Amino acid sequence: MLQNYFKIMLFALILLSCERDANKDVTKPDINSTVKMASARELSAGVSTIFTATSKAYDTNADWASGKLYDRFLDGDALYDDPRDTSDDPRTGGRGPLFCGTSCGSCHNNSGRTKSSLIRDGGTGPGDFSSFLTFFRTPNDQYHRNYGRVLHDHAVYGMKPEGKVHVEYTEEKHKLPDGTEYSLRVPRYWITDFYAEDIDMSQVEMTVRTPLRHVGMGQIMALDLDEIRSLEKKQYPEYGISGEINWVFERGKKQIGLTGHKAHHADLTVELGFLSDMGITNHRYPLEIAYGQPQVTGEQRIEISSDDMADVDLYLHCLGVPSRRNINSEMVKYGEKMFRKAKCHLCHVETLHTRPEGATLIDGTNLPWLGGQTIHPYSDFLVHDMGPKLGDDFSQYNASGDEWRTTPLWGGGLQKIVNGHTDMLHDGRARNVLEAIMWHGGEGDVSRQIFSNMNTDDRQSLIAFVNSL
């Protein structure tokens, strides 16, 4: 253990010796006290690993984010969390006229997954946010007239939301081979109360997505992309597994998609999120999200500065990743063996690396402390066909309707503590790890079958391992 500690410290000092000349307003952070003595198995994200298992486990800075970086982290945290109003104040206003949430934190409470109103209210909630996004279009992949890519189900006073989303769940009862009973809730979605002319649901292609945890965003942005390309080349025909990169087109160029449920974004979508989710215009997206609708009038203006956007970007990059827990538990250690026996690790890849130079923010600030790290996200960041039962028939770039990005599992075991629930998968339909596994089809079908045929103790051990991440 001591040897690992000194290795980490040496690497951190090497990084500090060569960082930051290009960064005009960032000073060297003191990380000498940041890397505590920990075993390599605990270090989920190298020097960005944090050691808290409280409700702030997703919302705590990595220790290297100190000094001026920490000041900017706090500024970005406030911009992320504080609800926006409808005033002209560039720090607190600009919300609307249409929106889905009042702040990033409304749907990502403590940088996690706020429980969606889908389950509680059967769709769009009565408050100012519902904690889900609805993408919709025509069956021919076109926007409906008077609408855009996202249905905004909330609006400021005097305006009409674009529509209301509804969901109905059907419980499917099942039994595992050993007689253990479980249930899967199957959703059916529809939209009513269109602000303009009614649209027949037979002419609507839609998908509902609940928020993802904002764990490890900086590490994801710093991933060694050659390693992702290498993972794409690995095929496992004996298990029917063949992941692929979702190539996306953003900022004027073709890039590897890394974020979002279908890896349909290449960055952290800070500017897009402020515009589309809250209706706050910025220099990248200067027109209101509802621009062009008959109910939107008035002069267009920039409602948040680029410096503030960069601070939110910095906040997300500097968040620490919770360390693994219970690593000496015999049940957890055995569960790790079961995880591999079920071939979960072929897609939920245990170890990846970040590129040497780290990550660069949208304002050009470089964060070299994210570079050269061995990390354990438990994802290959590829998209896989998970079968029609889990599919949403909503393709995005080259990810088909049945394909989903392998969800990173790090930090997932703390979701109950951080957000008070254990809902999983893209629309929160799974209530726990067992249900999430049993929704696996397509390329995940072999793992589901192996898991199903385990005895109860083996299954519980595998689940305990997943919850230790």
Side-chain angles (χ1 to χ4, degrees), residues 121-184:
D121 300 309
T124 297
D128 284 336
F129 63 91
S130 304
S131 198
F132 64 79
L133 289 179
T134 303
F135 297 87
F136 81 127
R137 61 194 180 198
T138 73
N140 295 323
D141 295 349
Q142 303 296 313
Y143 292 152
H144 285 281
R145 188 162 64 94
N146 293 322
Y147 295 88
R149 69 183 188 108
V150 171
L151 184 88
H152 296 88
D153 55 353
H154 297 277
V156 301
Y157 179 76
M159 304 288 289
K160 290 181 65 176
E162 291 180 311
K164 297 290 183 182
V165 177
H166 304 269
V167 61
E168 182 178 74
Y169 293 101
T170 302
E171 290 286 345
E172 282 189 356
K173 303 291 185 183
H174 299 277
K175 280 186 179 180
L176 297 172
D178 67 358
T180 301
E181 295 182 349
Y182 68 97
S183 178
L184 299 179

Side-chain angles (χ1 to χ4, degrees), residues 335-347:
E336 185 171 11
K337 294 179 181 175
M338 295 300 99
F339 185 81
R340 291 172 180 164
K341 179 180 179 180
K343 310 304 175 189
C344 307
H345 66 296
L346 298 182
C347 301

Side-chain angles (χ1 to χ4, degrees), residues 1-65:
M1 182 169 70
L2 197 57
Q3 187 179 18
N4 288 329
Y5 166 73
F6 282 118
K7 285 181 178 177
I8 292 167
M9 288 299 297
L10 176 61
F11 183 74
L13 289 170
I14 291 172
L15 278 178
L16 282 173
S17 69
C18 59
E19 41 76 14
R20 249 300 128 232
D21 289 338
N23 298 325
K24 58 184 182 299
D25 59 351
V26 177
T27 57
K28 288 182 178 179
D30 174 14
I31 66 171
N32 288 338
S33 62
T34 65
V35 182
K36 63 186 291 187
M37 293 180 69
S39 76
R41 297 176 62 222
E42 289 178 285
L43 295 175
S44 301
V47 295
S48 295
T49 305
I50 58 171
F51 298 85
T52 178
T54 69
S55 61
K56 293 296 184 182
Y58 302 161
D59 195 15
T60 299
N61 61 295
D63 282 353
W64 52 260

Side-chain angles (χ1 to χ4, degrees), residues 76-92:
D77 191 3
L79 290 162
Y80 180 97
D81 278 334
D82 294 344
R84 309 287 295 204
D85 56 35
T86 57
S87 73
D88 292 337
D89 189 319
R91 289 288 300 181
T92 61

Side-chain angles (χ1 to χ4, degrees), residues 199-247:
I199 302 175
D200 190 303
M201 285 306 295
S202 67
Q203 299 304 308
V204 172
E205 197 172 67
M206 65 182 288
T207 181
V208 174
R209 310 272 177 83
T210 52
L212 285 160
R213 293 182 294 273
H214 281 165
V215 172
M217 295 290 98
Q219 289 70 34
I220 294 171
M221 289 296 96
L223 280 169
D224 179 348
L225 298 181
D226 287 338
E227 194 167 30
I228 303 302
R229 293 185 185 93
S230 296
L231 288 172
E232 186 187 37
K233 294 176 182 174
K234 288 187 177 180
Q235 306 287 310
Y236 303 96
E238 65 272 38
Y239 306 119
I241 295 173
S242 57
E244 64 174 336
I245 290 170
N246 192 10
W247 289 99

Side-chain angles (χ1 to χ4, degrees), residues 325-369:
R325 301 158 311 286
N326 305 318
I327 60 171
N328 294 319
S329 161
E330 292 302 321
M331 185 177 189
V332 169
K333 287 193 283 188
Y334 184 70
E336 185 171 11
K337 294 179 181 175
M338 295 300 99
F339 185 81
R340 291 172 180 164
K341 179 180 179 180
K343 310 304 175 189
C344 307
H345 66 296
L346 298 182
C347 301
H348 290 283
V349 172
E350 299 161 340
T351 301
L352 293 176
H353 302 86
T354 59
R355 54 185 179 269
E357 64 271 26
T360 302
L361 303 181
I362 54 178
D363 69 347
T365 300
N366 180 239
L367 299 176
W369 305 276

Side-chain angles (χ1 to χ4, degrees), residues 358-403:
T360 302
L361 303 181
I362 54 178
D363 69 347
T365 300
N366 180 239
L367 299 176
W369 305 276
L370 290 167
Q373 300 293 294
T374 298
I375 62 174
H376 305 286
Y378 287 83
S379 173
D380 56 9
F381 297 94
L382 304 176
V383 292
H384 296 267
D385 186 335
M386 299 302 290
K389 287 192 70 175
L390 194 56
D392 63 356
D393 294 327
F394 204 91
S395 60
Q396 288 178 288
Y397 295 105
N398 58 282
S400 72
D402 291 347
E403 288 183 315

